Amino acid sequence: MPQSKEEKLKRMEKESEKKTVDIDDGVVAMAVRYQGFDPAAYLQYNYTPPRADFQRSDSIVPWKLSCLHKAFTEGDIDGDLLVDIGSGPTLYQVMSGCEVFRRVILTDFLEVNRKELKTWLGGGSGSLDWTPYLEYVCQLEGRSSSAASDKASQLRSRVTDILPIDVHRQQPLASGALPPTGADCLVSCFCLESVSPDVASFNRALGNISTLLRLGGHLLLIGALGESFYLGGPGLQIPVVPLDEAQVCNSLKATGFALVQLSVYTLPPDMRVGVDDVSGVFFAKARKL
């Protein structure tokens, strides 16, 4: 017997509710998995050679730093406030941005990552020596690598807050954390696909963080392509949503962004060191409509 219009609507509502519950359950499971995250191990896995070899033009970290430097110096990104979404225990993603913005806010869901950031920003050494990164960015800016200490001081002075964030909430940051108009620019690296159980929750998280950005502001998004897991510590395998270029473009469009640029890096064989199964990395520059 054919269903009435009301019955069809009720069925669709129930299916939508079930999908939401499934997504929420997956998000909770991801949060539980992250409780064993080890910042020092993660940094060792991903931010030392060969992935961070500044003598090689095909090393992944120099590629990311070059993409960020280029984006921040093209002249169309400006303002007062830059917010980094899901900083993790890393700082490289704001080293170029701190030249453009007077205020930088770092964010992360995990207290252990926020503690790692606070250690370095407070003048401590932290779990990784960021000096080679600072030197490389100085070279990209046309300065001597000896200017790295000045850049470190500048970065420490520009970071005004390190805040907890939950990208799966409609309001990811605490009320009043940002100006009413939002940030002028967002940067986010390897966050959304690494904390989302599926594409639907990835898209929802992307939509949530878009609320933190002013109209016309820019999003700089770096993420993994073709990755299903990575190691967040010894023996801690964390699932990742496998993305491709088309999905990245579709997700940005669906959440109110106009894609300005998309670049792709393919990992050479010796960069595949067993700490994940990533095949490539994307860099997207987009503008909020």
Side-chain angles (χ1 to χ4, degrees), residues 139-235:
Q139 291 171 14
L140 290 174
E141 294 169 351
R143 296 192 284 171
S144 166
S145 59
S146 61
S149 60
D150 292 337
K151 176 168 273 295
S153 298
Q154 182 186 42
L155 179 55
R156 287 183 168 110
S157 69
R158 294 289 167 90
V159 175
T160 57
D161 285 296
I162 304 172
L163 303 177
I165 191 169
D166 186 345
V167 298
H168 294 298
R169 293 185 179 274
Q170 289 185 340
Q171 185 174 294
L173 291 173
S175 178
L178 302 183
T181 53
D184 298 296
C185 181
L186 302 180
V187 60
S188 185
C189 302
F190 303 103
C191 172
L192 303 186
E193 74 276 18
S194 300
V195 299
S196 300
D198 49 38
V199 171
S201 56
F202 172 85
N203 287 346
R204 188 170 69 171
L206 186 56
N208 290 342
I209 69 168
S210 75
T211 65
L212 305 175
L213 182 64
R214 67 168 173 83
L215 289 175
H218 285 82
L219 167 67
L220 303 181
L221 190 66
I222 294 179
L225 293 171
E227 184 178 40
S228 67
F229 81 93
Y230 79 98
L231 295 183

Side-chain angles (χ1 to χ4, degrees), residues 104-139:
V104 178
I105 293 177
L106 306 179
T107 70
D108 201 75
F109 179 75
L110 295 177
E111 184 179 356
V112 289
N113 284 337
R114 299 195 301 272
K115 182 178 179 182
E116 176 72 27
L117 297 172
K118 287 175 182 176
T119 297
W120 188 86
L121 291 166
S125 58
S127 298
L128 186 74
D129 181 7
W130 292 106
T131 303
Y133 289 72
L134 294 161
E135 291 175 344
Y136 189 79
V137 173
C138 285
Q139 291 171 14

